[in-house]
Amino acid sequence: MARLFGTDGVRGLANAELTPELAMAVAASAARVLAAHDRSHRPVAVVGRDPRASGEMLDAAVVAGLTSAGADVRRAGVLPTPAVAHLVADTGADLGVVISASHNPMPDNGIKLFAEGGHKLPDGIEDEIEQELDRPGTRPTGAEIGRVTALEGAVDRYVDHLLTAAPQRLAGLRVVVDCANGAASEAAPVAYRRAGAEVVAINASPNGININEECGSTHIDGLRAAVVEHGADLGIAHDGDADRCLAVNAAGDEVDGDEILAVLALAMADAGELAERTVVATVMSNLGLHLAMREHGLQLRTTAVGDRYVLDELYAGGYSLGGEQSGHLVLPGHATTGDGLLTALRLMGRMAATGKSLAELAGVMQRLPQVLVNVRVADKAAVVESRQVATAVADVETELGEKGRVLLRPSGTEQLVRVMVEAPDQETAQAAADRLAGVVSAAS
């Protein structure tokens, strides 16, 4: 049987794969496991969600599951994922539950759990929760049943935290923010206005159905047009649960997560905040980021793809900045998970502090053309061990030299091998990727 918890909680098609019965069982099991680890008090959980329609149903199921196992619930309502993580720590709760499928289409939903302090739940605890799902537990009765209260002022508490973590005033900046009709729809405009920026909010009217629909960080064409139309200094794009941030400069050109990472790395290095003068990114980060960090005397450590691996490396090395090309950035000194609003405030703060445009700041990194080809194979393990493939990769690497890069990565879930090539120009990258894809296909 496949593991229930993926790299980012439990996720699936709402009411088909992720049913209210499953949501209730996961929540009840989580409460029982927490209670078993600490019997000094009854567990307290903060529950928040994004605005997709199925979240109403799943929220009710999660709350029922928690209280049926004797946990008290503080209901936060619609709130970004990083806000729930912060409020778990801020209120001294034992557990955080976020009902969201992030950037996924509206029909999907998910359940993400945070441990005490707002940290990602350890794999071992997730395994215990999964093992407890089908075991009948003793249900409390009477006064031992958990109680439910509203967590008042949740958005304001979160915004207060953001403004403490990113105190630079943004007076004089005009920003268009695309809220993806998601969890950032209230919090992001409030945070940016309170920081002093002039804010134009788009896709900030969630109706339960329109989350991520041709908007947000996965569809930025509308943001590009709005930035130019309003003569804004920049645009910010969030995803459905607001743990990501991509940007658009004044000309409407995209600034991706790697470029934002480069801007923040230099800002933190200048301020003496970049621990060990080191940045953490994944193996899929653009070669341009590697070259930019090297040019400025900074170290770049790479991990496997996935924010959990970035987090692991950040904590293991005591580093202070990491992220992914997707715009999922983590600043462990201020947040326990990716926080798109914090990232945006820090990015705009750099603009305000230096008086430079976003295009000028992002120009510190030259993004190389990157081509990714997914090759379906019969046996991905055979491809990884193939001498023919290794020789072809070595040949391309020799041809590209320091001006390019090759990465072959087997899919973790399918019989696919991902061929990624970066080169000084698109034609060279495409030709090399196609060539290697042919070798990979033949070797399987």
Side-chain angles (χ1 to χ4, degrees), residues 387-442:
R387 183 173 300 178
Q388 179 185 4
V389 171
T391 299
V393 169
D395 288 345
V396 173
E397 288 177 333
T398 299
E399 293 169 12
L400 295 174
E402 293 188 354
K403 296 181 179 179
R405 186 166 68 113
V406 176
L407 177 67
L408 257 68
R409 185 170 65 89
S411 167
T413 56
E414 301 177 84
Q415 286 293 345
L416 291 176
V417 173
R418 308 190 195 284
V419 179
M420 189 271 283
V421 177
E422 291 169 334
D425 60 80
Q426 187 71 27
E427 287 184 5
T428 300
Q430 188 69 60
D434 290 343
R435 190 168 114 206
L436 287 174
V439 177
V440 167
S441 182

Side-chain angles (χ1 to χ4, degrees), residues 2 20 100 110 140 157 180 185 212 261 300 326 344 372 377 387 434:
S100 173
R157 292 175 71 162
S185 295
N212 297 323
L261 201 56
L300 184 69
S326 62
L372 177 65
V377 296
R387 183 173 300 178
D434 290 343

Side-chain angles (χ1 to χ4, degrees), residues 103-193:
H103 58 283
N104 281 29
M106 182 278 293
D108 290 345
N109 217 322
I111 299 173
K112 181 187 289 189
L113 304 178
F114 289 104
E116 183 181 11
H119 296 281
K120 185 175 178 63
L121 210 63
D123 288 351
I125 300 296
E126 288 183 346
D127 290 340
E128 285 187 53
I129 292 170
E130 190 165 339
Q131 291 162 10
E132 285 290 324
L133 280 178
D134 297 323
R135 295 178 186 170
T138 302
R139 291 190 176 186
T141 58
E144 298 305 311
I145 294 172
R147 303 298 299 274
V148 183
T149 57
L151 184 53
E152 302 292 348
V155 170
D156 287 337
R157 292 175 71 162
Y158 171 54
V159 172
D160 288 345
H161 156 69
L162 290 174
L163 298 181
T164 299
Q168 174 68 49
R169 297 297 296 167
L170 307 180
L173 283 183
R174 176 183 293 176
V175 58
V176 178
V177 55
D178 185 341
C179 300
N181 290 312
S185 295
E186 179 183 358
V190 168
Y192 305 154
R193 287 187 181 114

Side-chain angles (χ1 to χ4, degrees), residues 156-401:
D156 287 337
R157 292 175 71 162
Y158 171 54
V159 172
D160 288 345
H161 156 69
L162 290 174
L163 298 181
T164 299
Q168 174 68 49
R169 297 297 296 167
L170 307 180
L173 283 183
R174 176 183 293 176
V175 58
V176 178
V177 55
D178 185 341
C179 300
N181 290 312
S185 295
E186 179 183 358
V190 168
Y192 305 154
R193 287 187 181 114
R194 282 185 54 186
E198 180 185 346
V199 178
V200 177
I202 63 174
N203 300 311
S205 300
N207 60 15
I209 307 298
N210 58 3
I211 186 170
N212 297 323
E213 185 178 2
E214 298 299 320
C215 60
S217 61
T218 53
H219 301 88
I220 66 168
D221 285 346
L223 179 61
R224 294 177 193 268
V227 166
V228 174
E229 176 188 348
H230 291 280
D233 297 291
L234 78 160
I236 295 293
H238 295 303
D239 60 338
D241 72 335
D243 64 353
R244 297 186 185 193
C245 168
L246 294 180
V248 167
N249 66 26
D253 301 319
E254 180 181 350
V255 177
D256 71 11
D258 283 342
E259 291 166 300
I260 295 172
L261 201 56
V263 173
L264 297 195
L266 295 186
M268 292 174 70
D270 288 348
E273 297 176 341
L274 191 65
E276 304 296 326
R277 294 180 64 80
T278 297
V279 180
V280 179
T282 76
V283 292
M284 291 300 290
S285 62
N286 194 274
L287 178 59
L289 178 62
H290 292 251
L291 299 177
M293 296 299 94
R294 187 185 310 162
E295 181 180 345
H296 288 85
L298 305 181
Q299 299 295 316
L300 184 69
R301 297 187 65 87
T302 57
T303 73
V305 175
D307 66 287
R308 69 184 303 149
Y309 302 112
V310 173
L311 274 169
D312 287 347
E313 184 67 19
L314 285 168
Y315 288 130
Y319 305 125
S320 52
L321 177 65
E324 299 180 276
Q325 202 174 57
S326 62
H328 191 278
L329 272 65
V330 185
L331 290 88
H334 304 288
T336 57
T337 188
D339 191 327
L341 278 70
L342 177 59
T343 298
L345 286 167
R346 283 283 184 137
L347 181 65
M348 289 188 282
R350 182 63 165 174
M351 294 173 65
T354 61
K356 294 181 178 180
S357 70
L358 182 55
E360 188 176 359
L361 290 173
V364 68
M365 174 188 149
Q366 184 66 42
R367 186 167 51 186
L368 272 69
Q370 188 179 77
V371 173
L372 177 65
V373 180
N374 291 319
V375 185
R376 188 160 294 279
V377 296
D379 185 351
K380 60 188 176 184
V383 172
V384 171
E385 297 170 1
S386 168
R387 183 173 300 178
Q388 179 185 4
V389 171
T391 299
V393 169
D395 288 345
V396 173
E397 288 177 333
T398 299
E399 293 169 12
L400 295 174

